[in-house]
Amino acid sequence: MLDLYNSTFIIPDLLLLLFPFIVIGSRLFCTAQSKVPWRIANFGFVAIFIVLNFIPLASGEGRFFISNWRIDDFGVLMREVFLISAILGIWFAKDYFEHGADGKPQMHQIAEFIGAIAFATFGGVTVVSACDMLTFFLGLEIATIPMYALTAWNKKDQLGSEAATKYILMGSVATAFELFGFSYLYGFAGSLHFGDIQQAVAAGTSPLLWVAVLFLFCGIGFKLTLFPFYTWAPDVYEGAPTPVTAVLSVTSKATAIAFLVVLVFGPFAPIQEQIAPFIALLAGTTLFVGNLGALKQSRLRRFMAYSSIAQAGYIMVALLGPATTAKTAIVYYLFVYAVSNYLAFFIFGIIGHHREETFASLRGLSKQNPSLAIALAISMFSLAGIPPLAGFFGKFHLFFSGASTGHYMLVAFAVLNNVLALFYYIQLIKSAWVEDYDGHLSPLRLTRRQRGVIVALSIAVVALGFIPFLSNNIFAGFSF
Amino acid sequence: MDTILFNLIWVIPLFTVLACIPIPESHAKLLRGIHTVSASVVLAIVCYLTFRVYAMGSVSASEAAAPLLLRFFTDIPWLSMIGAHYIVGADGLNILLLALTAFIVWAGVLVSYNIKGNQKVFFALIQILATSVYGVYMSFDLVLFFVFYEMEALCMYLMIACYGSGRRDYGGKKLTLTLAFGSSMILATLFGLYFEGGVNSWSITELSKITLPMEFQMWAFPLMFMGFAVSSSLFPFHFWSPDGHSSAPTAVSMLAAGVMMKMGAYGCLRVAMFLMPEAAKIWLPYVVALLIFNVVLGPFIALRHKDLKYITAYSSISHLGLIFLGLAALTPIGLRGASLQMISHGFLTGLFFATIGMIYERTHTRDITQMGGIMRKMPFLGVGFVLAGFAGLGLPGFSGFIAESTIFIGAFQQDSTLTRIVTTLAILSITTTAVYILQTANRMLHGPLPQKYESLSDGCFREKLVIVVLVACLLFIGICPSWISDMLDWSIAPIFEKISAATQPVVSGIGG
């Protein structure tokens, strides 16, 4: 099974597994203030990203470990999403280890922090590679448990501890639901392997299966912040340190979405049509609730929490399409979403370093720092899905996938909801562009790294939109 | 060569924006110069291409039958997965609308020299807005069309909210969100067009070759028509336009009323009616009933208003109502009148908003009760305003007369009582239009001059140039309309052909 050619496929995964140990281990040989772990982390993530791009995928897929570990096109692209998120996440986090922000103290132990993010990334990779339920479950937990720790990273911060407690409790309930669902699925199919489950599901359904489906969706609903399981998200997003919120909103969301994609187009593929109304209901309610919730917010991170709840709803719309269309649309959207979201978070981070993280702190930004205001407008309009920015094309693909199986009503509902979303994204832009500068706000200073990242991400958000470089590569170069 | 020039139309504005990025904000004069040159170059290109199309069109007008006769056609694969292509081309209607846009953008840049605030961003936004409008009129692929169509929302809000006056945030939000609401309806139906059409293409020419399923057309046409009608401020979706226009800076008002409101009417004609002619035949007679509000109530509301921009906004609402009357008539003359009105109204409303902006810059008020006698101080601007008014009330010799009379003739040919009643009312409402325009001009320009306006000056060379050029366009269309209507005729022919060939069991009793 393990021939030399195919075994190259697994190199990035093994590197990624080793990587957190190297970063944390490096702490043994250097001082607390040393920059070595940070440099290793940067080098490591970027190197793995590059190695990942050399995987010769035209040949299909690789299977490892008694065919429980699969590397296919979807998996590779998702790995790239996870790695981009990790790289941007640690770059973003770096500033928070140098000084405090938004009234919270400076963070410590950067090596362990990076290690935790690397573990969460590996968890995501495990989820997309899994071919049996045990691996699948392990992946989900590896992705989630570091996030609990990260949420409480600021030990002196009351809100952070509260958020972490809430997150752990909710997460455990979700895990319980998952396990229950998995056990029923095992009871139904008599096997842990996805292939066998798919055969069993294709052969015929039973109430046992529906219970399993229901519980699995409930479990993942918690993690993906679907309605009605989303209530923890605003508090956790608000309470966690800002870089953790950023990672949470991208890596954790991508993991949860990948989980659903693997499940719906893997073991549940034969009953996709039957669960479509259920998915449509979850998608519609989630995006509506997320949009409604965002309308009233005045704190930036709470606002981003609701915005990301709504984004989860939009992504769910794509799950209704045929496998290839849906997977491509979702992967493309995740790239776009990661870039737009991190751009927004980098800007909020700069605000947070000098001011409170509220809408009011954005006042007069266009006069004080026009480039930052332009970047903010770009990220917000992209998240709102206004062409020609990347967000529009991302959403277009999601809706395209949903509409291709005739779910016009849901698509129309989602598109109309976009107007609601535009309203609150405009609120934010209004704070930055229309309201006048008020003398009490402290001035903003950008470091070279922040400036570079913001320029690069802004260009990416604009260029990914109408230059079909990324989308055509994803859609044409890979076979799903 | 011409094809490359044609594609440059939307590229040049974008390129100008990129070129201006390294120039610091303090070099306002240089920035203005660059943008003026860029707008002039585009204007020159479009004028040249318009004459090229006219020359080619007159040779082959006879062959302009069922398929669209597109010049400068470009078709490049773009987004492979969804099958979107970069398809642009021009027929008589498009190229004239492009010419209109180029004129208005050029005039808009010229009148914005004194804008307050960050000029670098302002001019960049104008150019992006221009790109989006050019793109809409050029594209023959629905995805491309929609991208350009919705791009405007992004710039409009920023321009109104940052550089506008009065309740600028409110006005900007109202405008942007209403337009976004309209485009969301269009987007939802576009997916339907693609999947129900079954040709796996977003190309307007490809889609026009097939007949879409009737059940789909019956719900999709009204949705899409409404979506486009929002941007053309058809009743009851007109509420954004007075607030939006009145709070926008001059150049944005000119572009919004002069060109962007036409995008809706153009979309109705080119996308909704062309691709779903069967449903258009069934639904459009009902639309006529809505037009009573636009055509008849619009002028009456304008009569009551004191704010110059509100007056112009309501007059635009009534003029756009006439465009829809021409479209709903579903006769070749009606369609020709509607497209003539699109172009004529673009120029006249551009002139209106330009002169209002210039007067406002001097008097700092738009309330006509506060003005009076300013003709003595600003004869040139005053005459410009009066000429725009004359064109608006349809004085023979100006473009408005030709367009409106064509619409009325076309609408009367429609064999439906409702349409005829509305047409009669519309003809009568011209009197109201004349009343409010003359009343406004009289109050503003004549009578005693208030003390505070003693020191006002007339327009400078730049402003006079804008007025002269726009008036010249209005007169040119008004005095020799034949070459424009020729160009319009052969581009409307295929659309009308398709509508008249649409054989559907028309429900009896509809439309009289």
Side-chain angles (χ1 to χ4, degrees), chain B residues 306-309 355-375 378 385 440-453 456:
Chain B
K306 300 275 181 284
D307 186 316
L308 275 175
K309 278 200 169 176
T355 45
I356 290 172
M358 292 170 196
I359 292 172
Y360 176 73
E361 243 175 56
R362 290 169 171 76
T363 60
H364 301 289
T365 179
R366 286 194 309 254
D367 189 345
I368 50 171
T369 55
Q370 305 263 316
M371 296 185 199
I374 55 174
M375 187 65 132
M378 306 179 223
F385 182 81
T440 309
N442 191 32
R443 279 195 194 176
M444 230 173 96
L445 304 172
H446 301 291
L449 181 76
Q451 194 70 37
K452 55 182 172 178
Y453 296 147
L456 296 185

Side-chain angles (χ1 to χ4, degrees), chain B residues 344-413:
Chain B
S344 148
H345 180 252
F347 284 116
L348 87 87
T349 211
L351 182 57
F352 247 137
F353 277 117
T355 45
I356 290 172
M358 292 170 196
I359 292 172
Y360 176 73
E361 243 175 56
R362 290 169 171 76
T363 60
H364 301 289
T365 179
R366 286 194 309 254
D367 189 345
I368 50 171
T369 55
Q370 305 263 316
M371 296 185 199
I374 55 174
M375 187 65 132
R376 256 173 279 160
K377 286 287 163 195
M378 306 179 223
F380 207 96
L381 299 187
V383 170
F385 182 81
V386 171
L387 289 179
F390 285 163
L393 58 83
L395 199 73
F398 286 101
S399 59
F401 172 72
I402 302 295
E404 286 174 22
S405 49
T406 317
I407 289 174
F408 294 142
I409 295 169
F412 242 94
Q413 285 179 341

Side-chain angles (χ1 to χ4, degrees), chain A residues 325 328 381 386-389 392-393 396-397 399-400 403-404 408 411-412 415-416 419 422-423 426-427 429-430 433-434 466 468 471-472 475, chain B residues 78-82 118 121 143 146-147 150-151 154 157-158 161-162 168-169 173 176-177 180-181 184 187-188 191-192 194-196 202 219:
Chain A
T325 324
T328 46
F381 277 130
I386 299 287
L389 302 169
F392 167 75
F393 291 94
F396 193 93
H397 285 115
F399 296 153
F400 182 86
S404 65
Y408 296 130
V411 170
V415 172
L416 277 178
V419 184
L422 184 60
F423 179 78
I426 278 188
Q427 289 291 87
I429 294 170
K430 175 195 152 196
W433 284 76
V434 181
F466 53 88
S471 56
N472 276 4
F475 300 137
Chain B
W78 179 38
L79 297 173
S80 60
M81 182 223 184
I82 50 172
N118 190 343
V121 177
V143 178
F146 187 81
V147 167
E150 200 167 324
M151 219 167 106
L154 185 149
Y157 175 74
L158 291 177
C162 299
R168 52 204 175 122
D169 177 53
K173 239 183 230 165
T176 309
L177 291 175
F181 170 72
S184 70
L187 182 59
F191 288 114
Y194 181 85
F195 290 112
E196 299 287 329
W202 300 92
W219 68 260

Side-chain angles (χ1 to χ4, degrees), chain B residues 2 49-61 63 69-72 90 490:
Chain B
D2 287 352
L49 291 177
T50 313
F51 288 107
R52 289 285 298 148
V53 171
Y54 181 66
M56 290 189 280
S58 59
V59 178
S60 55
E63 67 183 75
L69 190 63
L70 292 182
R71 308 294 182 188
F72 321 127
W490 56 257

